[in-house]
């Protein structure tokens, strides 16, 4: 294995954080010390570096290389940054050199073999695996004692991953342990909340009695039960809460909001640090310099929300502040401890992985220390021989906090954004106590630039992708996931609302902002009621006259009050009345402006501006409320919901798996495999994801995530052609979700397609109707899901060759697209192109031309975007085919050349699109009897096809085009020469069927045809045969290293063989028109399916 490797490579980046380019660039790349560096091309630009320990290495298969039109390809995927780097080497030796080095440091390696399940690595501790067959693993239920949560969790996190089986075992073990923890945390949370208005001696879980720094009883509400620590994230209860003043209400609202945010930051940053520490530990296990890597851990933790209460729940680690602290400080005035060099070095590597900057802090006594982490970080060296990172709520840099506000505590950049940003950032930016440090200005300036980049680049790119339907969220979960994966905070909903031009995006964003504001108001109201009840209990306890039965009755009254107020609140939000109007004007709209910078003036009839059922779905998700599953709520009434419509007010729990663990990483890649056509791998990954989700969240009331995974599994089975299994899985999904939800709509759409393929048209039609009604209820009439539904049905009829029905549904889709997206949207252009191709298939060339020209005109406005420009090139290709079918070869040639020029400019020369365009131009020249230019373009296609080694489809095309060129070469000769080739040469004895000589002759000729242009080979033989004393040395020869048994055939025999191949092409020419039609459908229009309609739109 080389010590390092460097050199120029062709490079292409695919990222979810920004628009991916389809343009390959030549870049200097180097890898050393397990770090991959992309050297910036221009001065002033920053080099990009990637730690290989958090990267997955892929050796691309031949099928994948064909997709990109390159040979010798590999990819490096950064798991932390969610970015995929594609590289193409010059030759096999160069590829092998890169693969050998990168495989040493990468966390995983996937090779294109279909048999092996693992590749042993240098030390054998961490395996480089490929998914081929998921082992059948059974993990016993986890029994955990009160003091065992942390120990069992940390042992599970460091379980072996050397084989696929052990990785799956580890993932399921972690999931089952976490599931037990989350289940226990949920029940304990419910116990604390439901007994909140009881005195201490009647409570099952009692508040800890703690002392503050001054020796007084602390107001902090902490609970310890079954080995778990529960921190209530809100302001303490006071006697004032019986009848609070306006000032008290404001203080509580602000204080509670800050505490809620801090708890969320803590959980998010613990997950972030855990990912980084796992990546560092993996890297060190691979590196011989680290014989016994020191494990740095984060505690098992989660957040639970119920009735406005938020708890940060922690499996208590063996941390004993002063005794175990090895790095950091215990409080603002405490000394900075740094007494463990090994732990400090580990922390430095972890922070580098998190993209955090080393910076100066004041450690007291006039001394300065350069630290890699935030000044609030704590690292503890504990008795179990593990290090623990604690106090991470301020790990993420602030997001432009307004001075003299609490925003430095509440407004942070998301870890996903920090991780992907081009420069490391300081956790301590904008900290007043560090403003006197020498590097303070630089730290703040870089943080300002990062926050500005988020606003001016990341968010606009995201909105552009939303508007182009490249990202198509359907509900609160998918919208939040799309934003968070790109590092966009939910507080930027107002930015998105103002930037987007799509009605369905505005509707979704507005419903999300209203629902989140409603959650804030509802939680605040629920806490106020609970605070009042607890304050009244405390007052009664002081008087000493109440019995235990009185306290229990008082506590039960609190539960009843909360239930009735919940119904009142929902009707206040969703109904129409003077009281509701006042509530929206005085409470909701100002809060939406404050939280999301969303300054709106809604009409009194809010159901005109808001799709109320979509809002109800969003509120149900955010407030964990279950209501009746029906679609006939009348939102024009004062009280659209009745007493029996609210079924439950449940607990929400938050925990995120560590995708640096092998099993979780495989599970997360399920969708990626499916998008790249690897359905078998995708199924395995999704099934693993389902198993681990069930283990962790099997107890949970909300089954939407499970249904989402089942929908993806069902779609994967459909794509594999297993329609029966697809139907069974979709039915399981439908049992888990409300009938009128987007998950139900998505499951029914898969059912529609699977039933249709099985010939069950009635069942397919019923599924179509259910999908339509569910989507229009939960996502609104303007959401393009209905467009997808119609297009999918058109696809199905097209595949059945029911072109009239396909045209009908495609016309409906086009009408719907113009209505919801606007007549100039790129998807409208794509649908026009599909309609044009469909009409051409039906023989309606006139209307086909009209639709294709409309598509081309619509694409003109997107000429600055590479992907959409390539789509326009595809339209030129298709229109050229239609014009050629009508005999308009001049017009077809102009269009074909425009398509070819665009593709050559934006694609690699070996890309299939470029090859097919050369073939199209060649065929047009052939039809126009310009055989010389036809041969030239056919041979340009041949040059690229021959480079796609190992691809059977390309090898077949090489044979077909080679015969075609020979046929045209013969046609291009004089009449006498053509007659000789077509008659006498075919009678040559060397062509005797079945003879050993004929087989050897064909083998020799084919070898030469592979390395020599067919036209050149043919002309050289003709010149030699025509000459009196031809010089054989001037003929094409096999290379010296090419093996061939026997003597070289005579020139006449070789010429006879070429004439025979040319004759075969003439016989095959009868099927030419069908081939042209197939070519038009397969290349010009793209694959027939909705996903490919929007493929290539702005990402």
């Amino acid at each position: 294995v080389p010590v390092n490797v460097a050199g120029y490579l062709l490079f292409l980046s695919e990222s979810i954080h920004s628009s991916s380019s389809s343009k390959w660039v030549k870049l200097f790349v180097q890898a050393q010390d397990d770090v991959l560096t992309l050297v910036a091309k221009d001065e002033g630009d920053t080099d990009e570096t990637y730690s290989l320990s958090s990267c997955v290495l892929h050796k691309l298969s031949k099928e994948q290389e064909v997709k990109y039109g390159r040979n010798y390809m590999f990819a490096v995927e950064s798991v932390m940054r969610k970015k995929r780097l594609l590289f193409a080497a010059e030759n096999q030796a160069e590829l092998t050199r890169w693969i050998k080095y990168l495989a040493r440091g990468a966390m995983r390696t996937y090779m294109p073999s279909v048999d092996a399940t693992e590749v042993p690595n240098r030390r054998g501790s961490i395996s480089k695996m490929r998914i081929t067959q998921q082992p059948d693993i059974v993990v016993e239920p986890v029994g955990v004692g009160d003091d065992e949560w942390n120990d069992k969790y940390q042992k599970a996190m460091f379980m072996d991953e050397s084989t696929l089986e052990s990785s799956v075992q580890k993932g399921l073990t972690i999931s089952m342990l976490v599931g037990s923890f989350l289940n226990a945390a949920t029940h304990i949370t419910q116990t604390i909340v439901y007994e909140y208005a009881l005195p201490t001696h009647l409570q099952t879980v009692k508040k800890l009695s703690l002392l503050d720094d001054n020796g007084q009883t602390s107001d902090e509400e902490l609970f310890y039960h079954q080995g778990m620590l529960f921190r209530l994230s809100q302001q303490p209860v006071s006697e004032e809460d019986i009848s609070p003043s306006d000032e008290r209400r404001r203080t509580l609202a602000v204080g509670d909001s800050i505490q809620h945010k801090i708890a969320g930051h803590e959980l998010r940053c613990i997950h972030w640090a855990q990912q980084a520490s796992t990546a560092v530990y993996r890297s060190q296990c691979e590196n011989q310099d680290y014989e016994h890597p020191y494990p740095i851990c984060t505690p098992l933790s989660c957040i639970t929300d119920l009735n406005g209460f938020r708890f940060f729940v922690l499996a208590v680690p063996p941390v004993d502040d002063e005794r175990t602290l090895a790095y950091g400080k215990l409080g603002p005035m405490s000394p900075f401890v740094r007494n463990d060099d090994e732990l400090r070095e580990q922390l430095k590597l972890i922070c580098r992985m998190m993209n955090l900057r080393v910076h100066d802090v004041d450690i007291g006594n006039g001394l300065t220390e350069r630290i890699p982490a935030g000044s609030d970080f704590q690292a503890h060296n504990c008795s179990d021989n593990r290090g623990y990172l604690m106090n991470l709520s301020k790990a993420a840099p602030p997001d432009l906090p307004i001075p003299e506000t609490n925003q430095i505590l509440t407004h942070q950049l998301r870890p996903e954004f920090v991780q992907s940003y081009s420069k490391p950032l300081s956790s301590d930016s904008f900290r007043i106590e560090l403003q006197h440090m020498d590097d303070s200005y630089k730290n703040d300036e870089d943080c300002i630039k990062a926050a500005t980049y988020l606003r001016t680049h990341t968010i606009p790119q995201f909105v552009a992708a939303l508007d182009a339907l490249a990202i198509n969220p359907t509900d609160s979960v998918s919208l939040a996931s799309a934003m968070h994966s790109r590092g966009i905070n939910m507080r930027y909903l107002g930015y998105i609302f103002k930037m987007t031009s799509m009605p369905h995006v505005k509707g979704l964003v507005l419903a999300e902002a209203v629902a989140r504001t409603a959650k804030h108001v509802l939680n605040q109201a629920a806490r106020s009621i609970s605070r009042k009840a607890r304050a009244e209990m405390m007052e009664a306890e002081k008087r000493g006259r109440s019995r235990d039965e009185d306290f229990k009755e008082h506590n039960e009254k609190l539960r009843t009050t909360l239930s009735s107020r919940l119904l009142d609140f929902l009707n206040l939000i969703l109904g129409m009345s003077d009281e509701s109007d006042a509530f929206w004007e005085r409470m909701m709209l100002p809060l939406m402006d404050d939280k999301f910078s969303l300054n709106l003036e809604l009409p009194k009839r809010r159901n005109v501006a808001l799709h109320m059922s979509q809002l109800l779905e969003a509120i149900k998700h955010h407030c964990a409320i279950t209501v009746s599953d029906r679609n006939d709520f009348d939102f024009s009434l004062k009280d659209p919901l009745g007493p029996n419509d609210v079924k439950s007010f449940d607990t929400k729990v938050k925990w995120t798996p560590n995708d640096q663990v092998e099993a979780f990483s495989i599970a997360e890649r399920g969708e990626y495999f499916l998008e790249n056509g690897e359905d078998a791998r995708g199924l395995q990954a999704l099934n693993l994801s389902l198993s681990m989700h069930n283990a962790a969240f099997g107890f949970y009331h909300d089954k939407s995530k499970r249904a989402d995974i089942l929908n993806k599994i069902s779609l994967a089975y459909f794509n594999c052609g297993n329609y029966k299994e697809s139907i069974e899985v979709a039915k399981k999904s439908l049992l888990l979700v409300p009938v009128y939800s987007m998950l139900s709509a998505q499951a029914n759409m898969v059912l529609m397609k699977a039933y249709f393929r099985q010939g069950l048209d009635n069942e397919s039609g019923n599924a179509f109707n259910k999908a339509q009604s569910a989507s229009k209820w939960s996502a609104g009439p303007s959401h393009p899901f209905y467009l997808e539904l119609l297009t999918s049905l058109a696809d199905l009829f097209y595949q059945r060759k029911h072109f009239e029905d396909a045209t009908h549904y495609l016309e409906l889709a086009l009408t719907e697209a113009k209505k919801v997206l606007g007549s100039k949207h790129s998807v409208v252009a794509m649908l026009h192109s599909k309609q044009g191709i469909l009409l051409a298939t039906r023989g309606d060339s006139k209307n086909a031309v009209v639709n294709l020209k409309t598509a081309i005109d619509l694409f003109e406005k997107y000429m600055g975007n590479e992907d959409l420009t390539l789509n326009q090139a595809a339209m030129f290709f298709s229109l050229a085919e239609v014009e050629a079918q009508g005999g308009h070869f001049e017009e077809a040639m102009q269009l074909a050349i425009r398509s070819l020029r665009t593709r050559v400019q934006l694609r690699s020369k070996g890309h299939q699109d470029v090859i097919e365009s050369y073939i199209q131009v060649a065929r047009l020249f052939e039809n126009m009897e310009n055989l010389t230019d036809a041969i030239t373009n056919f041979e340009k296609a041949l040059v690229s096809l021959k480079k796609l080694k190992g691809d059977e489809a390309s090898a077949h095309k090489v044979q077909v085009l080679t015969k075609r060129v020979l046929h045209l070469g013969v046609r291009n000769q004089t009449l006498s020469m053509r007659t000789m080739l077509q008659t006498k040469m075919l009678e040559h004895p060397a062509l005797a069927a079945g003879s050993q000589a004929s087989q050897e002759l064909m083998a020799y000729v084919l070898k030469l045809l592979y390395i020599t242009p067919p036209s050149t080979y043919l002309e050289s033989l003709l010149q030699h045969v025509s000459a009196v004393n031809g010089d054989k040395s001037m003929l094409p020869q096999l290379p010296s290293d090419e093996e061939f048994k026997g003597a070289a055939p005579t020139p006449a025999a070789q010429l006879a063989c070429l004439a025979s191949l040319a004759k075969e092409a003439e016989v095959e020419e009868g099927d030419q028109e069908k081939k042209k039609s197939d070519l038009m459908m397969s290349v010009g229009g793209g694959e027939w399916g909705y996903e490919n309609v929007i493929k290539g739109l702005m990402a």
Side-chain angles (χ1 to χ4, degrees):
V1 178
V3 177
N4 58 65
V5 61
Y8 282 96
L9 293 170
L10 287 172
F11 168 72
L12 179 69
S13 173
E14 293 181 343
S15 171
I16 64 171
H17 297 295
S18 60
S19 297
S20 297
S21 172
S22 57
K23 185 83 171 178
W24 288 83
V25 296
K26 195 168 186 178
L27 206 63
F28 190 78
V29 184
Q30 58 189 28
Q32 187 171 12
D33 299 329
D34 291 336
V35 174
L36 181 70
T37 303
L38 310 183
V39 180
K41 294 185 72 173
D42 301 320
E43 275 190 56
D45 289 350
T46 307
D47 294 348
E48 285 190 46
T49 59
Y50 297 85
S51 175
L52 291 175
S53 60
S54 66
C55 290
V56 179
L57 174 65
H58 301 261
K59 167 67 175 68
L60 270 63
S61 66
K62 286 298 177 185
E63 291 77 11
Q64 291 169 314
E65 289 183 340
V66 169
K67 172 186 172 184
Y68 292 102
R70 296 286 178 188
N71 289 314
Y72 314 118
M73 287 185 64
F74 65 94
V76 177
E77 181 181 348
S78 173
V79 177
M80 296 288 284
R81 296 192 187 183
K82 310 296 183 190
K83 197 169 186 178
R84 196 165 189 255
L85 314 174
L86 291 159
F87 299 97
E90 289 187 8
N91 50 54
Q92 183 63 47
E94 190 75 4
L95 173 66
T96 302
R97 192 164 68 95
W98 279 97
I99 291 289
K100 278 186 177 180
Y101 181 85
L102 297 175
R104 182 182 70 170
M107 62 183 283
R108 282 182 301 282
T109 299
Y110 292 103
M111 306 295 281
S113 168
V114 295
D115 299 320
T117 56
E118 62 182 87
V119 176
N121 63 2
R122 183 161 50 88
R123 298 189 62 194
S125 56
I126 304 294
S127 172
K128 310 290 191 291
M129 290 175 295
R130 300 177 297 285
I131 311 167
T132 58
Q133 183 177 359
Q134 184 177 319
D136 193 10
I137 302 293
V138 177
V139 179
E140 295 298 324
V142 179
V144 185
D146 287 359
D147 58 347
E148 294 181 324
W149 286 112
N150 178 74
D151 188 56
K152 287 203 170 187
Y153 177 68
Q154 303 305 342
K155 285 179 178 176
M157 288 298 298
F158 290 96
M159 284 175 64
D160 174 52
E161 294 180 286
S162 58
T163 65
L164 180 59
E165 183 175 347
S166 62
S167 291
V168 174
Q169 179 98 26
K170 175 177 178 176
L172 290 172
T173 300
I174 292 173
S175 298
M176 293 196 73
L177 178 67
V178 169
S180 298
F181 174 79
L182 298 179
N183 192 14
T186 300
H187 286 299
I188 296 169
T189 295
Q190 291 169 349
T191 300
I192 296 172
V193 172
Y194 293 157
E195 297 179 350
Y196 193 67
L198 289 176
T200 303
H201 71 279
L202 293 177
Q203 289 179 327
T204 306
V205 182
K206 297 172 173 56
K207 175 187 165 185
L208 294 175
S209 297
L210 303 173
L211 300 179
D212 60 21
D213 294 337
N214 299 319
Q216 303 296 316
T217 301
S218 173
D219 288 331
E220 188 175 13
E221 295 188 79
L222 292 172
F223 302 82
Y224 180 81
H225 194 68
Q226 295 182 5
M228 303 179 193
L229 188 67
F230 292 76
R231 185 178 72 217
L232 183 54
S233 302
Q234 66 180 42
Q235 299 297 298
V237 176
S238 157
E239 292 178 359
E240 296 178 62
D241 295 331
I242 297 175
S243 181
S245 63
D246 290 344
E247 181 62 29
R248 172 66 177 168
R249 290 180 190 275
R250 281 192 293 270
T251 301
L252 290 174
V254 173
D256 289 355
S257 179
I258 292 172
Q259 292 296 320
H260 277 220
K261 284 287 188 183
I262 289 174
H265 294 332
E266 181 85 13
L267 184 69
R268 192 157 46 247
C269 292
I270 282 176
H271 174 249
W272 186 22
Q274 185 187 58
Q275 285 183 303
S277 64
T278 304
V280 169
Y281 185 79
R282 276 179 172 275
S283 176
Q284 292 174 343
C285 286
E286 294 288 316
N287 194 327
Q288 290 179 338
D289 295 336
Y290 294 86
E291 188 173 353
H292 299 292
Y294 185 62
I296 301 293
C297 309
T298 56
L300 174 59
S301 53
C302 71
I303 282 177
T304 55
D305 290 297
L306 177 63
N307 288 6
F309 292 84
R310 167 165 284 191
F311 291 89
F312 183 82
V313 188
L314 194 71
V316 180
V319 169
D320 184 358
D321 288 347
E322 293 183 356
R323 294 182 181 178
T324 59
L325 183 67
Y327 186 88
K329 55 185 180 179
L330 296 176
M333 305 307 294
S334 304
F336 196 96
V337 177
R338 53 197 190 288
N339 56 22
D340 190 320
D341 291 339
E342 183 181 12
L343 192 148
R344 181 186 179 189
E345 286 303 309
Q346 289 289 87
L347 185 59
K348 186 183 296 184
L349 294 172
I350 290 169
C351 290
R352 183 187 301 167
M353 189 71 70
M354 296 168 72
N355 206 27
L356 295 178
R357 169 179 288 168
V358 176
H359 60 283
D360 295 334
V361 295
D362 189 345
I363 60 173
N365 299 322
L367 299 176
T368 298
E369 174 85 4
R370 286 189 65 75
I371 64 170
S375 56
D376 295 295
F377 270 44
Q378 293 177 6
H380 293 260
N381 198 342
C382 297
S383 57
D384 60 356
N385 295 320
R386 302 184 187 108
Y388 287 88
L389 296 180
M390 305 290 290
N391 206 32
L392 300 176
S393 63
K394 299 177 185 175
D399 181 12
L400 289 184
I402 297 174
E404 300 180 4
T405 68
N406 294 311
Q407 288 187 2
I408 197 166
L409 300 175
T410 60
H411 286 41
Q412 291 185 354
L413 296 171
R414 285 194 66 87
E416 298 91 340
F417 176 79
V418 177
Q419 193 72 53
S420 65
Y421 190 61
S422 59
K423 293 181 180 180
L425 302 172
S426 168
S427 297
D428 288 331
S429 300
F430 305 108
R431 297 285 287 269
I432 297 296
E433 62 271 26
L434 297 177
Q435 291 300 300
H436 62 287
M437 295 288 102
D438 291 341
D439 61 353
S440 170
Y441 178 80
K442 175 64 173 172
N443 293 335
D444 293 354
E445 182 182 40
D446 284 345
C447 215
I448 290 171
K449 289 179 180 178
T452 303
Y453 184 88
L454 174 67
R455 290 161 172 79
T456 58
H457 289 80
T458 306
I459 295 175
Q461 287 172 353
F462 176 69
V463 173
L466 286 173
D467 285 359
L469 301 192
I471 305 169
N472 194 21
T474 56
D475 54 19
S476 294
V477 175
S478 53
L479 177 62
S481 176
M483 290 177 66
H484 288 165
S485 66
R486 290 158 180 80
I488 302 173
N489 309 79
M490 299 309 295
R491 62 176 170 271
Y492 289 110
L493 284 171
Y495 277 66
I496 295 171
F497 183 86
K498 293 166 188 172
M499 288 182 187
T500 182
S501 60
M502 291 292 104
H504 74 277
V505 178
K506 284 186 180 290
L508 179 62
V509 169
L510 183 57
E512 183 71 5
V514 172
R516 286 176 175 269
T517 305
K519 177 183 72 170
H520 174 80
V521 175
L522 176 61
N523 287 342
Q524 189 175 326
R527 286 194 302 272
S528 297
I529 295 170
S530 298
R531 274 198 177 100
K532 180 179 179 181
R534 182 164 178 80
E536 289 171 342
M537 178 275 295
M538 292 164 61
E539 188 72 18
E541 196 174 27
K542 281 184 182 179
R543 291 195 300 266
R545 287 180 260 172
S546 299
R547 300 170 302 163
D548 288 353
E549 289 75 13
D550 297 329
F551 287 122
K552 291 178 181 178
E553 182 181 348
H554 175 71
N555 188 66
E556 189 59 35
K557 183 181 177 182
L558 168 62
R559 310 259 54 79
T560 305
T561 302
L562 285 172
S563 297
S564 63
R565 293 293 176 86
L566 172 60
L567 177 61
D568 294 340
F569 175 78
L570 290 174
N571 284 324
L572 199 62
I573 288 285
L574 299 168
M576 297 293 169
S577 65
D578 292 341
E579 186 181 5
S580 179
D581 293 343
F583 173 73
W584 273 85
E585 184 177 346
R586 297 173 188 173
M587 179 71 76
M588 291 294 293
L589 294 178
L591 271 174
M592 287 166 61
D593 189 18
D594 181 59
K595 290 173 68 67
F596 305 110
S597 301
L598 197 54
N599 189 359
L600 293 174
E601 291 185 8
L602 293 179
K604 287 193 175 182
R605 294 188 62 82
R606 287 173 294 281
N607 54 359
V608 175
L610 278 161
H611 184 62
M612 301 306 286
S613 54
Q614 183 181 38
L615 174 58
L616 174 59
E617 293 298 313
I619 290 175
K620 283 164 54 180
H621 167 72
H622 285 294
C623 300
I625 299 169
T626 305
V627 302
S628 299
D629 188 13
R630 57 192 182 90
N631 68 341
D632 58 352
F633 293 108
D634 187 351
F635 297 107
S636 66
L637 299 177
K638 176 184 177 183
D639 297 325
L641 277 70
N644 296 324
D645 284 323
V646 180
K647 305 298 182 183
S648 63
F649 191 7
D650 296 302
T651 308
K652 289 193 73 173
V653 61
K654 294 181 181 179
W655 173 81
T656 306
N658 177 0
D659 60 12
Q660 292 289 319
V661 173
E662 179 77 29
F664 292 117
S665 178
I666 292 172
E668 188 186 40
R669 295 171 57 77
E671 284 188 83
Y672 168 80
F673 289 137
L674 294 179
E675 288 169 2
N676 284 271
E678 300 178 72
D679 293 310
R681 273 188 174 182
L683 269 172
Q684 293 157 359
L686 287 171
N687 278 314
L688 177 59
S689 175
L690 182 63
S691 298
M692 294 192 296
H693 178 80
N694 288 342
F697 290 96
F699 71 95
Y700 198 41
H701 70 91
D702 186 359
K703 309 298 183 187
S704 58
K705 177 62 176 177
R706 191 184 310 178
D708 182 49
I709 299 172
L710 285 171
N711 283 347
K712 291 168 184 170
I713 292 174
S714 177
L715 182 59
Y717 276 124
F718 175 82
N719 292 335
C720 290
N722 192 340
Y723 307 128
K724 183 178 179 181
E725 196 68 32
S726 175
I727 290 169
E728 291 303 313
V729 175
K731 286 180 176 178
K732 290 179 183 178
S733 171
L734 288 172
L735 295 174
L736 300 175
V737 294
V739 173
Y740 301 104
S741 65
M742 277 308 301
L743 288 169
S744 172
Q746 290 159 357
N748 273 300
M749 185 167 71
V750 181
L751 279 177
M752 175 196 77
K753 297 196 288 188
Y755 279 136
F756 193 97
R757 287 286 178 85
Q758 287 197 320
L760 302 172
D761 291 359
N762 287 336
E763 290 83 349
S764 178
N766 289 335
F768 173 89
N769 292 332
K770 290 177 181 178
Q772 179 183 357
S773 59
S775 67
K776 291 201 170 182
W777 169 261
S778 56
S782 64
H783 197 280
F785 178 84
Y786 180 51
L787 163 64
E788 180 177 0
L789 199 62
L790 290 170
T791 313
S792 296
L793 197 53
D795 297 344
L796 294 168
F797 278 115
Y798 176 84
Q799 290 153 3
R800 197 183 275 185
K801 300 192 183 303
H802 291 184
F803 297 132
E804 187 173 346
D805 291 323
T807 303
H808 169 70
Y809 284 104
L810 195 57
E811 286 174 350
L812 288 178
L814 189 53
T815 302
E816 181 73 10
K818 289 177 180 178
K819 182 172 72 175
V820 301
L821 303 174
S823 60
K824 296 185 178 180
H825 196 276
S826 54
V827 168
V828 173
M830 293 297 290
L831 289 174
H832 270 298
S833 70
K834 290 192 72 155
Q835 191 175 45
I837 294 167
L838 181 54
L839 290 168
T841 305
R842 298 180 63 188
D844 187 354
S845 298
K846 181 179 178 181
N847 286 316
V849 169
V850 170
N851 276 276
L852 289 168
K853 285 185 176 179
T854 301
I856 288 171
D857 291 341
L858 289 175
F859 274 124
E860 286 293 337
K861 64 180 273 191
Y862 299 107
M863 290 304 290
N865 179 275
E866 286 185 7
D867 292 323
L868 295 179
T869 302
L870 287 167
N871 282 336
Q872 188 188 46
M875 299 310 98
F876 282 126
F877 183 101
S878 298
L879 186 55
E881 291 290 324
V882 176
E883 293 283 15
Q885 284 183 356
H888 307 135
F889 297 122
E890 292 289 347
E891 294 86 344
M893 180 61 76
Q894 293 176 14
L895 294 164
I897 289 176
R898 286 192 67 178
S899 176
L900 175 61
R901 285 174 178 168
T902 300
R903 287 173 166 179
V904 168
Q905 180 184 358
L906 298 178
R907 295 285 199 199
S908 60
K909 289 184 179 179
H911 197 280
Q912 288 287 2
D913 286 356
V914 176
I915 293 170
E916 297 296 356
S917 273
Y918 276 127
I919 293 172
Q920 183 187 53
V921 170
R923 282 178 171 160
L924 287 171
F925 274 126
E926 180 183 351
N927 284 322
M928 297 167 70
E929 294 299 323
N930 185 345
L931 302 186
T932 301
D933 286 338
I935 290 170
T936 300
N937 282 278
F938 273 132
E939 289 189 335
K940 286 181 179 179
L942 270 173
V943 170
S944 296
L945 282 168
K946 288 176 181 178
K947 291 180 179 179
L948 301 176
K949 299 177 181 179
D951 178 52
E952 290 184 11
S954 299
H956 176 69
K957 280 188 178 180
V958 168
Q959 295 175 26
V960 171
L961 292 186
T962 299
K963 292 178 185 178
R964 193 89 203 134
V965 171
L966 291 173
H967 174 65
L968 297 181
V970 171
R971 282 178 56 191
N972 209 24
Q973 302 302 316
T974 62
L975 178 61
S976 60
M977 184 64 74
R978 191 164 64 244
T979 302
M980 184 271 293
L981 288 170
Q982 293 175 343
T983 56
K984 293 184 179 180
M985 292 307 297
L986 294 178
E987 298 171 2
H988 196 283
L991 298 181
S995 68
Q996 180 70 26
S998 68
Q999 293 176 12
E1000 290 180 357
L1001 169 62
M1002 183 62 72
Y1004 183 87
V1005 169
L1006 290 179
K1007 285 177 181 288
L1008 271 176
L1009 282 172
Y1010 198 79
I1011 61 173
T1012 308
S1015 61
T1016 303
Y1017 189 13
L1018 177 64
E1019 286 296 329
S1020 62
L1021 286 172
L1022 287 172
Q1023 291 175 13
H1024 179 83
V1025 171
S1026 300
V1028 178
N1029 294 309
D1031 185 359
K1032 287 187 179 182
S1033 64
M1034 302 300 293
L1035 294 174
Q1037 305 289 328
L1038 288 178
S1040 58
D1041 59 347
E1042 184 73 44
E1043 294 184 7
F1044 183 76
K1045 295 179 181 179
T1050 65
Q1054 294 179 48
L1055 187 58
C1057 189
L1058 293 185
S1060 173
L1061 292 172
K1063 183 69 175 177
E1064 289 181 22
E1066 187 177 349
V1067 172
E1068 294 167 0
E1069 190 174 7
D1071 206 22
Q1072 185 76 14
E1073 291 306 314
K1074 182 179 182 303
K1075 289 181 181 178
K1076 283 187 180 182
S1077 176
D1078 290 343
L1079 180 65
M1080 181 187 70
M1081 297 308 298
S1082 64
V1083 181
E1087 295 177 19
W1088 191 264
Y1090 178 78
E1091 292 81 359
N1092 290 285
V1093 174
I1094 61 173
K1095 181 182 177 183
L1097 301 183
M1098 299 170 71

